[in-house]
Amino acid sequence: MDSQNQLAKQFKGFINTPSLFKKLENFELFLFADEQSEDLEISITPEKLVLGKRVELFFRDYTKNSRRYSILAANLQVIANKVTLGELDFLIKDKFEDQNIHIELVYKFYLYDPVLNGNLQRWIGPNRRDTLMCKINKLQKNQLPLLHNKATQPYLNELNLSSKEFIQQVCFLGKLYVPVNLYGTHFPKINNNCIVGFWLTLETLLSRHQGNELYCLPKKENWLIQPENSNVWISLDESLYKINASLNNKKSILCWKKTSLGGFEQFFIVWW
């Protein structure tokens, strides 16, 4: 099991992640001033729970600890003729507004590749297997319409709910990384507060390294937290074996660096 202290760091990182888009249809995480994330009750999470499921549990914890929201249903699978059509992430009640909300939860890490065409089309996964536009299309064509699918209605009826009672929102959280030479540039159509670092090749990393800098290669579940919260730092030489092994397997790797001036950087080292 993860230590409670580490879980608290991950949960705080989740809560503090901004929405990828600043629009009214986004569901934004918001804790009241007297609901400090360090003091909230957090579920014990299996150590090997993948990041996506970990984030779902954190959203449940967030909702349970909130004075404003309550959960009506979570991870509601819709099956018709023995075929799974999809899943509704969260059905919640906004007690302040007396409003039911269907929320699809997304937490992504995207890198900006300026070689690709189109602003939003340039945001891709670290290993180039998924893209921001693919996720947006899936939300629009599959995940959000599922609420109003005829096959969903019996499941809602069992909860004494109707799809007509719900508004729909997407809680789209993310961390973005841009080419090292473009770090500090403003990017259109996305919330630039989500840009937390950059990406580079191993060759570029070696050329930027200074002798007394230290590194951390966090496990994926710790990608949620801030680099300054790490207590494990190693030399570049100690890091290279794991970095090379990952790149040889065509897997980009997240790296944190403690600079010679005591600052911190976070970046992906890419294989492509």
Side-chain angles (χ1 to χ4, degrees), residues 16-184:
N16 290 334
T17 304
S19 296
L20 205 59
F21 302 100
K22 285 293 185 184
K23 294 182 180 178
L24 291 177
E25 61 264 34
N26 277 345
F27 180 87
E28 295 192 60
L29 300 175
F30 177 77
L31 289 176
F32 296 93
D34 59 342
E35 296 174 338
Q36 298 301 319
S37 59
E38 295 89 340
D39 302 325
L40 299 183
E41 184 179 345
I42 305 171
S43 302
I44 299 298
T45 306
E47 188 172 347
K48 294 185 178 181
L49 192 67
V50 297
L51 185 60
K53 292 298 181 182
R54 188 174 296 254
V55 165
E56 287 181 359
L57 286 182
F58 286 161
F59 188 92
R60 289 194 194 191
D61 291 337
Y62 159 81
T63 308
K64 288 176 182 177
N65 282 285
S66 171
R67 291 188 283 115
R68 179 168 183 168
Y69 303 107
S70 60
I71 295 177
L72 302 172
N75 306 118
L76 185 63
Q77 281 198 336
V78 178
I79 301 172
N81 299 320
K82 298 182 179 180
V83 176
T84 301
L85 302 182
E87 182 178 276
L88 302 177
D89 283 350
F90 292 94
L91 303 179
I92 71 169
K93 177 80 169 185
D94 182 339
K95 292 177 284 189
F96 286 12
E97 299 293 335
D98 191 26
Q99 176 66 63
N100 292 342
I101 312 173
H102 165 216
I103 297 173
E104 286 298 310
L105 175 65
V106 184
Y107 199 112
K108 289 289 188 178
F109 296 79
Y110 288 125
L111 282 57
Y112 184 85
D113 185 353
V115 174
L116 302 176
N117 293 323
N119 288 313
L120 292 181
Q121 289 85 344
R122 290 172 177 158
W123 295 105
I124 61 174
N127 295 312
R128 308 185 74 86
R129 288 197 292 264
D130 64 329
T131 69
L132 173 57
M133 280 307 302
C134 283
K135 186 59 184 177
I136 291 173
N137 289 335
K138 185 178 179 181
L139 284 164
Q140 292 176 335
K141 295 179 180 179
N142 303 107
Q143 292 175 265
L144 292 173
L146 183 61
L147 175 71
H148 300 289
N149 191 302
K150 289 183 179 180
T152 306
Q153 302 316 304
Y155 293 90
L156 296 177
N157 291 340
E158 289 182 11
L159 299 169
N160 294 317
L161 298 171
S162 167
S163 61
K164 296 177 182 179
E165 302 171 3
F166 286 85
I167 61 172
Q168 293 183 291
Q169 295 179 334
V170 178
C171 185
F172 204 136
L173 311 178
K175 292 190 176 185
L176 304 178
Y177 300 79
V178 302
V180 63
N181 61 308
L182 295 180
Y183 191 51

Side-chain angles (χ1 to χ4, degrees), residues 122-257:
R122 290 172 177 158
W123 295 105
I124 61 174
N127 295 312
R128 308 185 74 86
R129 288 197 292 264
D130 64 329
T131 69
L132 173 57
M133 280 307 302
C134 283
K135 186 59 184 177
I136 291 173
N137 289 335
K138 185 178 179 181
L139 284 164
Q140 292 176 335
K141 295 179 180 179
N142 303 107
Q143 292 175 265
L144 292 173
L146 183 61
L147 175 71
H148 300 289
N149 191 302
K150 289 183 179 180
T152 306
Q153 302 316 304
Y155 293 90
L156 296 177
N157 291 340
E158 289 182 11
L159 299 169
N160 294 317
L161 298 171
S162 167
S163 61
K164 296 177 182 179
E165 302 171 3
F166 286 85
I167 61 172
Q168 293 183 291
Q169 295 179 334
V170 178
C171 185
F172 204 136
L173 311 178
K175 292 190 176 185
L176 304 178
Y177 300 79
V178 302
V180 63
N181 61 308
L182 295 180
Y183 191 51
T185 303
H186 185 272
F187 291 81
K189 297 189 177 181
I190 52 93
N191 179 9
N192 279 244
N193 290 331
C194 291
I195 300 174
V196 296
F198 51 86
W199 62 263
L200 41 64
T201 62
L202 178 56
E203 182 181 12
T204 303
L205 170 65
L206 295 174
S207 70
R208 297 176 81 248
H209 173 71
Q210 297 182 20
N212 56 350
E213 294 177 329
L214 296 173
Y215 297 82
C216 175
L217 304 173
K219 296 179 180 179
K220 193 165 184 178
E221 61 264 27
N222 289 328
W223 288 10
L224 298 169
I225 73 176
Q226 292 297 105
E228 52 266 32
N229 287 325
S230 174
N231 53 13
V232 179
W233 296 95
I234 57 178
S235 68
L236 179 60
D237 286 342
E238 292 173 289
S239 306
L240 284 177
Y241 177 81
K242 187 174 180 180
I243 292 172
N244 279 311
S246 183
L247 299 183
N248 288 337
N249 286 323
K250 293 189 175 181
K251 290 184 178 180
S252 301
I253 187 168
L254 182 62
C255 184
W256 299 337
K257 180 167 79 171

